[in-house]
Amino acid sequence: MKIVVCVKQVPDTAGGVKFKPDGTLDRSAMLAIMNPDDKAGLEVALRIKDKDPEHVTITALTMGLPKAYNVLREAMAMGADDGLLITDRVLGGADTWATSSTIAGALKNMQYDLVITGRQAIDGDTAQVGPQIAEHLNIPVISYASDVTVEGDYVTAKRQFEDRYHIIKAKMPCLITVLGEETTPRYMTPGGIFDAYNKDVTVWGRANLDVADENIGKKGSPTVIAKASDKVAKGKGTVVTPDSAEEASQYIIDRLAEKHVI
Ligand SMILES: Cc1cc2nc3c(=O)[nH]c(=O)nc-3n(C[C@H](O)[C@H](O)[C@H](O)COP(=O)(O)OP(=O)(O)OC[C@H]3O[C@@H](n4cnc5c(N)ncnc54)[C@H](O)[C@@H]3O)c2cc1C
């Protein structure tokens, strides 16, 4: 069984988001980490491999700048068998359509039974790429997945909704998008870190991809980010302790009137 896990290198927004004067993210000013949902996705793959290590192989795939190489090393130190870096200037500035077209263009030249992505990336935050890849490859997708099991040619997973979940079964080849909060990833081991430096990372460029020119990079991106800005932290709220319900409702009415809401 061949599993391909899509891992994205993202800026660590926990330390605050830095922007360039043109409003785009200043990625060089922020620590680069593996997208948290993708680490959970990798953990799902590793748990499938734990059950059948002889017959399951895991390839970690990333599209990005050459420095995205580092998330592949981390993935291999966690237990992935090898890595594939898709990097080429013409692929830069991609929106989700171009990103998913590019990744699908790589997968069309690879063998896979199960493709795993995170539910979403903490920078673009669109949650679009996973399902888009499945569309390009015309394979079933189970999104918001957790408790993933494999039996024969079928994957079964819990598909989360806000107030309930469904148990969904899909025939492979298929794609799942994994919820970070539902699956706790294992740590890299010292041995794993050591081994990772002996494992192969394949580097692919535009020529290795089965995708049309009009669907890659900035030119192939129907969506352009006009401006991105950090969330403005709201001021501290006011705490009031009215003596009665009447006083409380009067207080609210006065505030709403003040703001010309009523
Ligand atoms: C602030 C901001 C807002 C943006 N808004 C939009 C927008 O509204 N529309 C738009 O089209 N683009 C948008 N982008 C661009 C978008 O970030 C890129 O297109 C990006 O490559 C994919 O989208 P995403 O980050 O939302 O990924 P998501 O769709 O959230 O990612 C889902 C999963 O797909 C996989 N994946 C995504 N990118 C890669 C990769 N490069 N390598 C390997 N696996 C990957 C990962 O497993 C990830 O968990 C935005 C970018 C920023 C920084």
Side-chain angles (χ1 to χ4, degrees), residues 125-215:
D125 246 354
T126 64
Q128 292 172 7
V129 170
Q132 284 178 342
I133 294 171
E135 278 302 311
H136 293 307
L137 298 175
N138 195 22
I139 58 176
V141 54
I142 305 175
S143 56
Y144 295 51
S146 59
D147 295 6
V148 179
T149 56
V150 171
E151 217 170 310
D153 291 343
Y154 287 86
V155 170
T156 303
K158 218 160 90 171
R159 201 275 185 205
Q160 199 69 38
F161 291 83
E162 259 148 44
D163 57 353
R164 66 194 185 290
Y165 59 81
H166 289 174
I167 302 293
I168 301 187
K169 193 173 177 177
K171 190 164 187 315
M172 288 186 275
C174 66
L175 181 142
I176 62 173
T177 82
V178 168
L179 281 176
E181 59 270 28
E182 295 287 330
T183 305
T184 309
R186 66 195 61 189
Y187 289 103
M188 298 182 275
T189 59
I193 295 169
F194 187 78
D195 293 349
Y197 281 85
N198 302 324
K199 290 180 182 173
D200 296 336
V201 169
T202 308
V203 181
W204 277 4
R206 199 266 169 267
N208 305 99
L209 309 173
D210 178 357
V211 59
D213 282 341
E214 59 269 22
N215 291 329

Side-chain angles (χ1 to χ4, degrees), residues 6-9 25 27 35 37-38 61-64 94-97 99 103 116-121 123-130 133 223 225 228:
C6 298
V7 292
K8 186 181 181 188
Q9 187 177 52
L25 286 182
R27 293 172 188 267
N35 184 51
D37 279 4
D38 304 348
L61 175 159
T62 195
M63 166 192 155
D95 73 351
T96 61
W97 171 261
T99 299
I103 295 175
I116 301 181
T117 75
R119 168 213 25 219
Q120 70 194 73
D123 56 350
D125 246 354
T126 64
Q128 292 172 7
V129 170
I133 294 171
T223 312
I225 305 159

